[in-house]
Amino acid sequence: MNSRIYTGHIRHMRYRPVKNSFRYRIFLMYLDLGELDQVFRGRLLWSAKKMNLAFLRRKDHFGDPRITIEDSVRLLVEEKTGKRPEGAIRMLTHLRYFGHCFNPATFYYCFDEGGEQVETIVLEVHNTPWGEVHCYVIPCSENNSDGKSWRFALAKEFHVSPFLPMDIDYEWSFTPPGEQLQVLMVDYHENKRIFEAELELSQLPITGGSLRRMLVVYPLMTMKVTAGIYWQALRLWLRGAQFYSHP
């Protein structure tokens, strides 16, 4: 089975005009969308198809809810690149825990037909409190690789934080999903680095024990994500950070 758990940390660092930083423990599920019928089979508290203590809900992700997430990703990539993914699609995401879900970002890794090489990365971004969603489609053929990771330059297209302007250039860096996984985003405004966010994760196999441990160690994972967003926003506001209205 290619599905697994990733645990580790998320780190944010804001450099200007107001400095702020934090580092939280986190876990994410890495699910092969072709394995959803079996990945949680026999797991009492987990499900990929129906409501449970921890479950994957179709409506929490982009696309027509009448079709699968997998088909939505394939259609989107074909629309944006002209090439339909032929291999496995694996998503790095939060599930819905105790009835609550919020994903600042979900990453879809679209593999080649042999399942060995990632051809395209789809980044699904949600904002709060507006409840909007936007997808960036990133062909790996366009990367500026340093030999260890894929690197991409993107223009910001979607309003997320009210404490960051829209005229931002992104630099994204991804390592291939393996024993370790890293995602780094750096924001530049007027050619100056103003913000960065990083995921540093290590894999765990999906077993009954590891799934139970995730619910014990991280019992309200997505609620903590949402609470952390608003807490950090309050800190920025109290420090006098400039507020940018939704465009």
Side-chain angles (χ1 to χ4, degrees):
M1 192 162 61
N2 294 299
S3 300
R4 66 195 74 148
I5 301 167
Y6 275 105
T7 65
H9 294 87
I10 183 168
R11 176 183 64 85
H12 282 201
M13 176 70 75
R14 185 180 296 264
Y15 295 100
R16 62 184 73 200
V18 175
K19 291 186 176 181
N20 188 51
S21 65
F22 62 85
R23 186 171 182 261
Y24 294 150
R25 294 176 64 192
I26 194 172
F27 90 95
L28 293 157
M29 298 303 299
Y30 179 77
L31 300 178
D32 187 313
L33 295 179
E35 297 177 349
L36 295 185
D37 287 337
Q38 64 187 77
V39 63
F40 298 130
R41 186 177 297 165
R43 310 301 180 194
L44 182 63
L45 304 178
W46 295 73
S47 174
K49 297 289 185 179
K50 60 183 180 180
M51 186 178 297
N52 209 326
L53 195 66
F55 72 104
L56 176 65
R57 191 178 78 154
R58 173 66 186 92
K59 292 182 179 180
D60 290 331
H61 298 279
F62 84 97
D64 186 339
R66 294 172 296 182
I67 65 175
T68 65
I69 299 173
E70 182 177 2
D71 285 342
S72 291
V73 175
R74 294 190 195 278
L75 287 170
L76 177 65
V77 173
E78 184 176 21
E79 175 189 331
K80 296 295 186 181
T81 69
K83 181 180 179 182
R84 186 179 180 88
E86 297 295 336
I89 296 176
R90 297 163 190 160
M91 67 186 299
L92 182 70
T93 192
H94 288 302
L95 304 191
R96 181 165 286 263
Y97 301 109
F98 298 89
H100 183 270
C101 181
F102 180 67
N103 269 296
T106 290
F107 303 91
Y108 299 91
Y109 297 88
C110 304
F111 284 78
D112 62 12
E113 192 171 2
E116 298 296 327
Q117 300 293 326
V118 178
E119 293 185 329
T120 307
I121 298 171
V122 176
L123 169 59
E124 174 190 353
V125 184
H126 292 252
N127 60 18
T128 181
W130 304 281
E132 298 168 324
V133 60
H134 180 78
C135 291
Y136 296 88
V137 177
I138 311 171
C140 291
S141 59
E142 298 179 2
N143 86 94
N144 301 307
S145 177
D146 61 0
K148 298 179 180 179
S149 61
W150 302 298
R151 295 180 180 273
F152 306 94
L154 301 172
K156 182 177 179 179
E157 299 175 353
F158 182 61
H159 180 73
V160 180
S161 169
F163 297 101
L164 287 171
M166 282 295 295
D167 55 334
I168 277 178
D169 294 314
Y170 290 140
E171 182 181 279
W172 283 89
S173 174
F174 300 86
T175 62
E179 290 188 8
Q180 309 295 319
L181 187 152
Q182 182 183 49
V183 178
L184 173 65
M185 179 193 72
V186 182
D187 294 1
Y188 292 91
H189 179 59
E190 298 177 346
N191 296 317
K192 296 178 180 178
R193 180 182 294 216
I194 62 170
F195 175 81
E196 64 182 49
E198 184 176 34
L199 280 172
E200 294 182 307
L201 305 171
S202 301
Q203 73 171 10
L204 288 173
I206 292 179
T207 65
S210 63
L211 291 174
R212 287 192 297 272
R213 189 159 62 253
M214 293 305 102
L215 293 180
V216 171
V217 177
Y218 310 89
L220 302 172
M221 184 73 259
T222 55
M223 293 182 190
K224 290 179 180 178
V225 169
T226 302
I229 289 171
Y230 286 104
W231 167 241
Q232 296 300 330
L234 176 62
R235 292 182 64 191
L236 289 169
W237 180 72
L238 291 174
R239 295 179 183 183
Q242 182 175 349
F243 187 92
Y244 298 90
S245 298
H246 193 298

